[in-house]
Amino acid sequence: MQKYLLCRHGELTEGQSKGFSLGDSAAGTANVFAVMKNGEVFAYKNNCPHRGINLEWQEDQFLDPDGALIQCASHGALFQIETGECVAGPCAGDALTPVPIEYGRDGIYVLMAD
Ligand code: FES
């Protein structure tokens, strides 16, 4: 497991999603994304269980129009923000892969396998 600084406190705001390029991910290609909901941060691998591809078509756009669910841009699968469970779409019942986070003094860290 490797610990990476995901973002500084305040960089991710309520109701916002953001992609991050960590570790050996190609620059500019987000391999992790995070969402803040009710003051809590949830992070997942940027990998849709339907086809194993990135969820977003536009930078940092991982949510549905209401900001209530995570949405895959390719075929519209919808996932719960808190659990990553797919509640509608072609991979219903499957789930995103959570990435454990830690709150540090200077920011939010994620723990990822090497
Ligand atoms: S690749 Fe995500 S819904 Fe098909």
Side-chain angles (χ1 to χ4, degrees), residues 26-109:
T29 305
N31 56 348
V32 172
F33 70 96
V35 182
M36 181 180 276
K37 183 176 179 183
N38 298 328
E40 206 174 333
V41 174
F42 302 90
Y44 296 97
K45 289 190 176 172
N46 187 10
N47 194 287
C48 180
H50 178 219
R51 291 271 167 88
I53 57 177
N54 290 0
L55 281 87
E56 88 284 26
W57 282 352
Q58 292 183 348
E59 192 178 353
D60 297 332
Q61 299 295 309
F62 293 90
L63 299 176
D64 70 354
D66 297 336
L69 295 164
I70 294 165
Q71 183 172 40
C72 179
S74 289
H75 310 104
L78 295 167
F79 305 86
Q80 293 204 325
I81 292 172
E82 299 90 339
T83 63
E85 184 190 348
C86 182
V87 292
C91 47
D94 218 329
L96 297 168
T97 304
V99 177
I101 67 162
E102 275 182 19
Y103 293 91
R105 189 196 302 231
D106 52 346
I108 299 167
Y109 291 84

